mmCIF file of all heavy atoms in Angstrom:
data_model
loop_
_atom_site.group_PDB
_atom_site.id
_atom_site.type_symbol
_atom_site.label_atom_id
_atom_site.label_comp_id
_atom_site.label_asym_id
_atom_site.label_seq_id
_atom_site.Cartn_x
_atom_site.Cartn_y
_atom_site.Cartn_z
ATOM 1 N N ASN A 1 -80.477 45.996 75.604
ATOM 2 C CA ASN A 1 -80.586 44.576 75.662
ATOM 3 C C ASN A 1 -81.211 44.140 76.979
ATOM 4 O O ASN A 1 -81.969 43.182 77.109
ATOM 5 C CB ASN A 1 -79.218 43.895 75.490
ATOM 6 C CG ASN A 1 -78.749 44.023 74.083
ATOM 7 O OD1 ASN A 1 -79.489 44.108 73.181
ATOM 8 N ND2 ASN A 1 -77.442 43.904 73.932
ATOM 9 N N PHE A 2 -80.805 44.821 78.080
ATOM 10 C CA PHE A 2 -81.311 44.494 79.412
ATOM 11 C C PHE A 2 -82.874 44.748 79.452
ATOM 12 O O PHE A 2 -83.633 43.911 79.961
ATOM 13 C CB PHE A 2 -80.636 45.346 80.502
ATOM 14 C CG PHE A 2 -81.279 45.162 81.883
ATOM 15 C CD1 PHE A 2 -80.938 44.061 82.639
ATOM 16 C CD2 PHE A 2 -82.125 46.137 82.395
ATOM 17 C CE1 PHE A 2 -81.442 43.897 83.893
ATOM 18 C CE2 PHE A 2 -82.742 45.913 83.646
ATOM 19 C CZ PHE A 2 -82.386 44.806 84.339
ATOM 20 N N LEU A 3 -83.271 45.873 78.926
ATOM 21 C CA LEU A 3 -84.723 46.193 78.891
ATOM 22 C C LEU A 3 -85.466 45.173 78.070
ATOM 23 O O LEU A 3 -86.614 44.786 78.431
ATOM 24 C CB LEU A 3 -84.937 47.599 78.330
ATOM 25 C CG LEU A 3 -84.397 48.739 79.285
ATOM 26 C CD1 LEU A 3 -84.577 50.132 78.528
ATOM 27 C CD2 LEU A 3 -85.212 48.788 80.636
ATOM 28 N N GLN A 4 -84.953 44.759 76.902
ATOM 29 C CA GLN A 4 -85.554 43.812 76.104
ATOM 30 C C GLN A 4 -85.746 42.502 76.786
ATOM 31 O O GLN A 4 -86.738 41.795 76.605
ATOM 32 C CB GLN A 4 -84.784 43.613 74.737
ATOM 33 C CG GLN A 4 -84.946 44.776 73.797
ATOM 34 C CD GLN A 4 -86.361 44.839 73.253
ATOM 35 O OE1 GLN A 4 -86.907 43.845 72.817
ATOM 36 N NE2 GLN A 4 -87.004 45.968 73.352
ATOM 37 N N ALA A 5 -84.769 42.135 77.616
ATOM 38 C CA ALA A 5 -84.788 40.860 78.285
ATOM 39 C C ALA A 5 -85.905 40.830 79.320
ATOM 40 O O ALA A 5 -86.320 39.797 79.783
ATOM 41 C CB ALA A 5 -83.396 40.513 78.904
ATOM 42 N N GLN A 6 -86.359 42.023 79.805
ATOM 43 C CA GLN A 6 -87.384 42.083 80.793
ATOM 44 C C GLN A 6 -88.805 42.063 80.286
ATOM 45 O O GLN A 6 -89.734 42.094 81.063
ATOM 46 C CB GLN A 6 -87.155 43.407 81.661
ATOM 47 C CG GLN A 6 -85.788 43.513 82.204
ATOM 48 C CD GLN A 6 -85.322 42.293 83.026
ATOM 49 O OE1 GLN A 6 -86.065 41.854 83.927
ATOM 50 N NE2 GLN A 6 -84.137 41.699 82.701
ATOM 51 N N GLN A 7 -88.952 42.127 78.987
ATOM 52 C CA GLN A 7 -90.255 42.194 78.352
ATOM 53 C C GLN A 7 -90.612 41.032 77.451
ATOM 54 O O GLN A 7 -89.728 40.237 77.130
ATOM 55 C CB GLN A 7 -90.480 43.518 77.582
ATOM 56 C CG GLN A 7 -89.661 43.549 76.328
ATOM 57 C CD GLN A 7 -89.790 44.830 75.503
ATOM 58 O OE1 GLN A 7 -89.873 45.876 76.106
ATOM 59 N NE2 GLN A 7 -89.907 44.693 74.236
ATOM 60 N N LYS A 8 -91.830 40.893 77.117
ATOM 61 C CA LYS A 8 -92.221 39.855 76.253
ATOM 62 C C LYS A 8 -91.620 40.050 74.852
ATOM 63 O O LYS A 8 -91.263 41.200 74.512
ATOM 64 C CB LYS A 8 -93.766 39.762 76.157
ATOM 65 C CG LYS A 8 -94.434 39.273 77.428
ATOM 66 C CD LYS A 8 -95.936 39.149 77.224
ATOM 67 C CE LYS A 8 -96.632 38.726 78.502
ATOM 68 N NZ LYS A 8 -96.315 37.287 78.788
ATOM 69 N N PRO A 9 -91.455 39.000 74.101
ATOM 70 C CA PRO A 9 -90.823 39.174 72.798
ATOM 71 C C PRO A 9 -91.580 40.022 71.805
ATOM 72 O O PRO A 9 -92.880 40.020 71.828
ATOM 73 C CB PRO A 9 -90.620 37.733 72.342
ATOM 74 C CG PRO A 9 -91.571 36.979 73.025
ATOM 75 C CD PRO A 9 -91.764 37.626 74.406
ATOM 76 N N ASN A 10 -90.906 40.698 71.001
ATOM 77 C CA ASN A 10 -91.513 41.423 69.810
ATOM 78 C C ASN A 10 -91.829 40.374 68.740
ATOM 79 O O ASN A 10 -91.091 39.345 68.652
ATOM 80 C CB ASN A 10 -90.587 42.422 69.292
ATOM 81 C CG ASN A 10 -90.062 43.431 70.351
ATOM 82 O OD1 ASN A 10 -90.904 44.057 71.068
ATOM 83 N ND2 ASN A 10 -88.764 43.495 70.459
ATOM 84 N N ILE A 11 -92.767 40.667 67.927
ATOM 85 C CA ILE A 11 -93.156 39.765 66.806
ATOM 86 C C ILE A 11 -93.216 40.588 65.527
ATOM 87 O O ILE A 11 -93.830 41.648 65.514
ATOM 88 C CB ILE A 11 -94.565 39.214 67.023
ATOM 89 C CG1 ILE A 11 -94.703 38.529 68.418
ATOM 90 C CG2 ILE A 11 -94.842 38.091 65.892
ATOM 91 C CD1 ILE A 11 -93.891 37.350 68.710
ATOM 92 N N ILE A 12 -92.493 40.174 64.478
ATOM 93 C CA ILE A 12 -92.568 40.718 63.167
ATOM 94 C C ILE A 12 -92.992 39.689 62.250
ATOM 95 O O ILE A 12 -92.317 38.621 62.063
ATOM 96 C CB ILE A 12 -91.209 41.333 62.773
ATOM 97 C CG1 ILE A 12 -90.776 42.371 63.743
ATOM 98 C CG2 ILE A 12 -91.306 41.951 61.325
ATOM 99 C CD1 ILE A 12 -89.457 43.044 63.430
ATOM 100 N N PHE A 13 -94.167 39.889 61.613
ATOM 101 C CA PHE A 13 -94.676 38.915 60.619
ATOM 102 C C PHE A 13 -94.626 39.578 59.240
ATOM 103 O O PHE A 13 -95.400 40.570 59.018
ATOM 104 C CB PHE A 13 -96.099 38.519 61.072
ATOM 105 C CG PHE A 13 -96.843 37.663 60.103
ATOM 106 C CD1 PHE A 13 -96.176 36.895 59.130
ATOM 107 C CD2 PHE A 13 -98.176 37.590 60.148
ATOM 108 C CE1 PHE A 13 -96.926 36.029 58.248
ATOM 109 C CE2 PHE A 13 -98.984 36.790 59.176
ATOM 110 C CZ PHE A 13 -98.286 36.068 58.366
ATOM 111 N N ILE A 14 -93.767 39.075 58.401
ATOM 112 C CA ILE A 14 -93.637 39.610 57.028
ATOM 113 C C ILE A 14 -94.266 38.695 56.047
ATOM 114 O O ILE A 14 -93.989 37.502 56.048
ATOM 115 C CB ILE A 14 -92.142 39.839 56.644
ATOM 116 C CG1 ILE A 14 -91.464 40.791 57.718
ATOM 117 C CG2 ILE A 14 -91.975 40.325 55.291
ATOM 118 C CD1 ILE A 14 -89.944 40.807 57.580
ATOM 119 N N LEU A 15 -95.144 39.274 55.257
ATOM 120 C CA LEU A 15 -95.909 38.462 54.289
ATOM 121 C C LEU A 15 -95.696 38.894 52.841
ATOM 122 O O LEU A 15 -95.930 40.164 52.581
ATOM 123 C CB LEU A 15 -97.395 38.475 54.602
ATOM 124 C CG LEU A 15 -98.373 37.621 53.827
ATOM 125 C CD1 LEU A 15 -98.054 36.111 54.029
ATOM 126 C CD2 LEU A 15 -99.736 37.931 54.112
ATOM 127 N N ALA A 16 -95.297 38.076 51.982
ATOM 128 C CA ALA A 16 -95.199 38.386 50.536
ATOM 129 C C ALA A 16 -96.434 38.090 49.929
ATOM 130 O O ALA A 16 -97.335 37.301 50.485
ATOM 131 C CB ALA A 16 -94.042 37.662 49.921
ATOM 132 N N ASP A 17 -96.696 38.619 48.712
ATOM 133 C CA ASP A 17 -97.982 38.448 48.029
ATOM 134 C C ASP A 17 -97.781 37.692 46.761
ATOM 135 O O ASP A 17 -97.070 38.290 45.818
ATOM 136 C CB ASP A 17 -98.582 39.926 47.783
ATOM 137 C CG ASP A 17 -100.070 39.853 47.432
ATOM 138 O OD1 ASP A 17 -100.585 38.758 47.171
ATOM 139 O OD2 ASP A 17 -100.658 40.923 47.329
ATOM 140 N N ASP A 18 -98.341 36.619 46.573
ATOM 141 C CA ASP A 18 -98.171 35.769 45.338
ATOM 142 C C ASP A 18 -96.767 35.357 45.032
ATOM 143 O O ASP A 18 -96.391 35.026 43.940
ATOM 144 C CB ASP A 18 -98.729 36.481 44.074
ATOM 145 C CG ASP A 18 -100.187 36.623 44.050
ATOM 146 O OD1 ASP A 18 -100.873 36.205 45.076
ATOM 147 O OD2 ASP A 18 -100.755 37.164 43.184
ATOM 148 N N LEU A 19 -95.933 35.159 46.068
ATOM 149 C CA LEU A 19 -94.482 34.794 45.826
ATOM 150 C C LEU A 19 -94.470 33.269 45.791
ATOM 151 O O LEU A 19 -94.906 32.562 46.717
ATOM 152 C CB LEU A 19 -93.629 35.280 47.037
ATOM 153 C CG LEU A 19 -92.172 34.949 46.974
ATOM 154 C CD1 LEU A 19 -91.480 35.804 45.786
ATOM 155 C CD2 LEU A 19 -91.497 35.161 48.274
ATOM 156 N N GLY A 20 -94.030 32.767 44.621
ATOM 157 C CA GLY A 20 -93.919 31.333 44.471
ATOM 158 C C GLY A 20 -92.887 30.642 45.297
ATOM 159 O O GLY A 20 -91.895 31.224 45.632
ATOM 160 N N TYR A 21 -93.086 29.298 45.481
ATOM 161 C CA TYR A 21 -92.166 28.593 46.279
ATOM 162 C C TYR A 21 -90.654 28.699 45.799
ATOM 163 O O TYR A 21 -89.805 28.775 46.666
ATOM 164 C CB TYR A 21 -92.598 27.086 46.258
ATOM 165 C CG TYR A 21 -91.785 26.126 47.182
ATOM 166 C CD1 TYR A 21 -92.138 25.937 48.494
ATOM 167 C CD2 TYR A 21 -90.748 25.408 46.642
ATOM 168 C CE1 TYR A 21 -91.469 25.165 49.313
ATOM 169 C CE2 TYR A 21 -90.042 24.525 47.480
ATOM 170 C CZ TYR A 21 -90.386 24.361 48.779
ATOM 171 O OH TYR A 21 -89.683 23.567 49.631
ATOM 172 N N GLY A 22 -90.413 28.632 44.548
ATOM 173 C CA GLY A 22 -89.060 28.657 44.087
ATOM 174 C C GLY A 22 -88.633 30.050 43.487
ATOM 175 O O GLY A 22 -87.647 30.036 42.747
ATOM 176 N N ASP A 23 -89.354 31.045 43.899
ATOM 177 C CA ASP A 23 -89.044 32.380 43.291
ATOM 178 C C ASP A 23 -87.868 33.071 43.997
ATOM 179 O O ASP A 23 -87.356 34.121 43.493
ATOM 180 C CB ASP A 23 -90.266 33.310 43.414
ATOM 181 C CG ASP A 23 -91.277 33.093 42.331
ATOM 182 O OD1 ASP A 23 -90.941 32.499 41.310
ATOM 183 O OD2 ASP A 23 -92.461 33.497 42.564
ATOM 184 N N ILE A 24 -87.370 32.510 45.087
ATOM 185 C CA ILE A 24 -86.244 33.204 45.819
ATOM 186 C C ILE A 24 -85.104 32.170 46.005
ATOM 187 O O ILE A 24 -85.312 31.024 45.988
ATOM 188 C CB ILE A 24 -86.734 33.756 47.131
ATOM 189 C CG1 ILE A 24 -87.333 32.569 48.012
ATOM 190 C CG2 ILE A 24 -87.711 34.880 46.976
ATOM 191 C CD1 ILE A 24 -87.784 33.003 49.378
ATOM 192 N N SER A 25 -83.931 32.744 46.108
ATOM 193 C CA SER A 25 -82.736 31.897 46.193
ATOM 194 C C SER A 25 -82.772 31.006 47.428
ATOM 195 O O SER A 25 -82.177 29.889 47.394
ATOM 196 C CB SER A 25 -81.430 32.764 46.136
ATOM 197 O OG SER A 25 -81.485 33.814 47.104
ATOM 198 N N ALA A 26 -83.438 31.387 48.507
ATOM 199 C CA ALA A 26 -83.517 30.572 49.734
ATOM 200 C C ALA A 26 -84.181 29.277 49.461
ATOM 201 O O ALA A 26 -83.994 28.268 50.047
ATOM 202 C CB ALA A 26 -84.246 31.257 50.827
ATOM 203 N N TYR A 27 -85.036 29.228 48.399
ATOM 204 C CA TYR A 27 -85.775 28.055 47.967
ATOM 205 C C TYR A 27 -85.420 27.568 46.547
ATOM 206 O O TYR A 27 -86.187 26.964 45.918
ATOM 207 C CB TYR A 27 -87.322 28.265 48.104
ATOM 208 C CG TYR A 27 -87.788 28.161 49.523
ATOM 209 C CD1 TYR A 27 -87.551 29.301 50.385
ATOM 210 C CD2 TYR A 27 -88.380 27.011 50.021
ATOM 211 C CE1 TYR A 27 -87.993 29.153 51.718
ATOM 212 C CE2 TYR A 27 -88.701 26.850 51.352
ATOM 213 C CZ TYR A 27 -88.589 28.010 52.137
ATOM 214 O OH TYR A 27 -89.065 27.861 53.519
ATOM 215 N N GLY A 28 -84.207 27.894 46.135
ATOM 216 C CA GLY A 28 -83.628 27.261 44.981
ATOM 217 C C GLY A 28 -83.576 28.099 43.676
ATOM 218 O O GLY A 28 -83.060 27.602 42.659
ATOM 219 N N SER A 29 -84.025 29.312 43.671
ATOM 220 C CA SER A 29 -83.940 30.173 42.444
ATOM 221 C C SER A 29 -82.577 30.390 42.053
ATOM 222 O O SER A 29 -81.722 30.794 42.954
ATOM 223 C CB SER A 29 -84.666 31.470 42.677
ATOM 224 O OG SER A 29 -84.539 32.296 41.472
ATOM 225 N N LYS A 30 -82.195 30.145 40.857
ATOM 226 C CA LYS A 30 -80.812 30.493 40.355
ATOM 227 C C LYS A 30 -80.814 31.854 39.636
ATOM 228 O O LYS A 30 -79.762 32.253 39.228
ATOM 229 C CB LYS A 30 -80.436 29.363 39.364
ATOM 230 C CG LYS A 30 -80.424 27.981 39.947
ATOM 231 C CD LYS A 30 -79.419 27.787 41.085
ATOM 232 C CE LYS A 30 -79.406 26.372 41.633
ATOM 233 N NZ LYS A 30 -78.562 26.270 42.782
ATOM 234 N N ILE A 31 -82.003 32.401 39.443
ATOM 235 C CA ILE A 31 -82.017 33.672 38.705
ATOM 236 C C ILE A 31 -82.169 34.857 39.594
ATOM 237 O O ILE A 31 -81.391 35.891 39.457
ATOM 238 C CB ILE A 31 -83.363 33.602 37.818
ATOM 239 C CG1 ILE A 31 -83.188 32.455 36.854
ATOM 240 C CG2 ILE A 31 -83.448 34.961 37.077
ATOM 241 C CD1 ILE A 31 -84.531 32.227 35.972
ATOM 242 N N VAL A 32 -83.019 34.749 40.652
ATOM 243 C CA VAL A 32 -83.247 35.915 41.584
ATOM 244 C C VAL A 32 -82.516 35.598 42.872
ATOM 245 O O VAL A 32 -82.850 34.665 43.576
ATOM 246 C CB VAL A 32 -84.752 36.147 41.791
ATOM 247 C CG1 VAL A 32 -84.928 37.448 42.726
ATOM 248 C CG2 VAL A 32 -85.496 36.276 40.497
ATOM 249 N N GLN A 33 -81.561 36.440 43.189
ATOM 250 C CA GLN A 33 -80.819 36.308 44.444
ATOM 251 C C GLN A 33 -81.449 37.202 45.532
ATOM 252 O O GLN A 33 -81.651 38.394 45.286
ATOM 253 C CB GLN A 33 -79.325 36.633 44.271
ATOM 254 C CG GLN A 33 -78.592 35.720 43.295
ATOM 255 C CD GLN A 33 -78.727 34.267 43.682
ATOM 256 O OE1 GLN A 33 -78.280 33.981 44.774
ATOM 257 N NE2 GLN A 33 -79.226 33.481 42.826
ATOM 258 N N THR A 34 -81.764 36.589 46.645
ATOM 259 C CA THR A 34 -82.434 37.320 47.715
ATOM 260 C C THR A 34 -81.632 37.128 49.043
ATOM 261 O O THR A 34 -81.973 36.445 49.890
ATOM 262 C CB THR A 34 -83.837 36.766 47.966
ATOM 263 O OG1 THR A 34 -83.856 35.387 47.998
ATOM 264 C CG2 THR A 34 -84.806 37.140 46.760
ATOM 265 N N PRO A 35 -80.501 37.899 49.121
ATOM 266 C CA PRO A 35 -79.587 37.661 50.229
ATOM 267 C C PRO A 35 -80.116 37.904 51.569
ATOM 268 O O PRO A 35 -79.816 37.321 52.528
ATOM 269 C CB PRO A 35 -78.379 38.573 49.902
ATOM 270 C CG PRO A 35 -79.006 39.622 48.964
ATOM 271 C CD PRO A 35 -79.960 38.888 48.160
ATOM 272 N N ASN A 36 -81.053 38.876 51.672
ATOM 273 C CA ASN A 36 -81.671 39.236 53.006
ATOM 274 C C ASN A 36 -82.603 38.134 53.450
ATOM 275 O O ASN A 36 -82.607 37.806 54.659
ATOM 276 C CB ASN A 36 -82.306 40.571 52.929
ATOM 277 C CG ASN A 36 -81.315 41.690 52.675
ATOM 278 O OD1 ASN A 36 -80.431 41.931 53.417
ATOM 279 N ND2 ASN A 36 -81.506 42.420 51.549
ATOM 280 N N ILE A 37 -83.420 37.650 52.614
ATOM 281 C CA ILE A 37 -84.337 36.552 53.014
ATOM 282 C C ILE A 37 -83.459 35.278 53.203
ATOM 283 O O ILE A 37 -83.761 34.576 54.193
ATOM 284 C CB ILE A 37 -85.383 36.258 51.831
ATOM 285 C CG1 ILE A 37 -86.232 37.490 51.650
ATOM 286 C CG2 ILE A 37 -86.200 35.038 52.216
ATOM 287 C CD1 ILE A 37 -87.188 37.379 50.481
ATOM 288 N N ASP A 38 -82.445 35.096 52.461
ATOM 289 C CA ASP A 38 -81.564 33.939 52.750
ATOM 290 C C ASP A 38 -80.862 34.029 54.176
ATOM 291 O O ASP A 38 -80.847 33.021 54.851
ATOM 292 C CB ASP A 38 -80.337 33.952 51.710
ATOM 293 C CG ASP A 38 -80.814 33.614 50.296
ATOM 294 O OD1 ASP A 38 -82.100 33.464 50.082
ATOM 295 O OD2 ASP A 38 -80.009 33.611 49.374
ATOM 296 N N ALA A 39 -80.469 35.252 54.525
ATOM 297 C CA ALA A 39 -79.897 35.436 55.785
ATOM 298 C C ALA A 39 -80.873 35.210 56.955
ATOM 299 O O ALA A 39 -80.560 34.656 58.005
ATOM 300 C CB ALA A 39 -79.328 36.910 55.877
ATOM 301 N N LEU A 40 -82.186 35.593 56.723
ATOM 302 C CA LEU A 40 -83.248 35.252 57.652
ATOM 303 C C LEU A 40 -83.393 33.776 57.811
ATOM 304 O O LEU A 40 -83.456 33.241 58.906
ATOM 305 C CB LEU A 40 -84.526 35.939 57.256
ATOM 306 C CG LEU A 40 -85.690 35.857 58.207
ATOM 307 C CD1 LEU A 40 -85.421 36.556 59.493
ATOM 308 C CD2 LEU A 40 -86.960 36.375 57.581
ATOM 309 N N ALA A 41 -83.366 33.043 56.701
ATOM 310 C CA ALA A 41 -83.514 31.564 56.742
ATOM 311 C C ALA A 41 -82.304 31.019 57.493
ATOM 312 O O ALA A 41 -82.468 30.071 58.281
ATOM 313 C CB ALA A 41 -83.608 31.002 55.394
ATOM 314 N N ASN A 42 -81.141 31.420 57.225
ATOM 315 C CA ASN A 42 -79.928 30.916 57.850
ATOM 316 C C ASN A 42 -79.897 31.191 59.409
ATOM 317 O O ASN A 42 -79.262 30.494 60.225
ATOM 318 C CB ASN A 42 -78.656 31.525 57.198
ATOM 319 C CG ASN A 42 -78.488 31.000 55.787
ATOM 320 O OD1 ASN A 42 -78.981 29.922 55.473
ATOM 321 N ND2 ASN A 42 -77.793 31.845 54.982
ATOM 322 N N SER A 43 -80.615 32.298 59.807
ATOM 323 C CA SER A 43 -80.569 32.571 61.249
ATOM 324 C C SER A 43 -81.623 31.810 62.039
ATOM 325 O O SER A 43 -81.702 31.855 63.237
ATOM 326 C CB SER A 43 -80.903 34.068 61.401
ATOM 327 O OG SER A 43 -82.239 34.378 61.142
ATOM 328 N N GLY A 44 -82.519 31.066 61.330
ATOM 329 C CA GLY A 44 -83.542 30.285 61.971
ATOM 330 C C GLY A 44 -83.884 29.029 61.183
ATOM 331 O O GLY A 44 -83.035 28.263 60.719
ATOM 332 N N ALA A 45 -85.233 28.825 61.010
ATOM 333 C CA ALA A 45 -85.607 27.569 60.424
ATOM 334 C C ALA A 45 -86.339 27.867 59.035
ATOM 335 O O ALA A 45 -87.108 28.740 58.907
ATOM 336 C CB ALA A 45 -86.619 26.787 61.319
ATOM 337 N N LYS A 46 -86.022 26.990 58.108
ATOM 338 C CA LYS A 46 -86.715 27.032 56.764
ATOM 339 C C LYS A 46 -87.495 25.782 56.664
ATOM 340 O O LYS A 46 -87.025 24.611 56.719
ATOM 341 C CB LYS A 46 -85.612 27.125 55.697
ATOM 342 C CG LYS A 46 -86.189 27.157 54.281
ATOM 343 C CD LYS A 46 -85.196 27.385 53.195
ATOM 344 C CE LYS A 46 -84.217 26.170 53.029
ATOM 345 N NZ LYS A 46 -83.329 26.360 51.870
ATOM 346 N N MET A 47 -88.838 25.961 56.458
ATOM 347 C CA MET A 47 -89.735 24.866 56.282
ATOM 348 C C MET A 47 -89.781 24.436 54.872
ATOM 349 O O MET A 47 -90.093 25.247 53.943
ATOM 350 C CB MET A 47 -91.141 25.374 56.740
ATOM 351 C CG MET A 47 -91.410 25.103 58.188
ATOM 352 S SD MET A 47 -90.322 26.008 59.335
ATOM 353 C CE MET A 47 -91.137 27.580 59.453
#
């Protein structure tokens, strides 16, 4: 943690392919549950 604090931030850019706006539970899907993407949204901002 100390070493990380001394350096510039890491960047992870995750891109899905053809994923529809409502295809995941974070954006309202009642059929497909995506707990990991939901957790990512809960840890930050959902546009």
Side-chain angles (χ1 to χ4, degrees):
N1 288 337
F2 175 78
L3 291 173
Q4 285 292 308
Q6 305 307 305
Q7 69 178 40
K8 290 184 180 292
N10 306 304
I11 312 293
I12 300 178
F13 175 22
I14 301 171
L15 185 64
D17 195 354
D18 289 2
L19 183 71
Y21 183 85
D23 280 342
I24 56 178
S25 51
Y27 280 81
S29 175
K30 303 299 183 185
I31 301 172
V32 184
Q33 298 303 302
T34 49
N36 295 300
I37 299 174
D38 293 1
L40 185 63
N42 292 334
S43 71
K46 179 172 71 172
M47 272 61 84

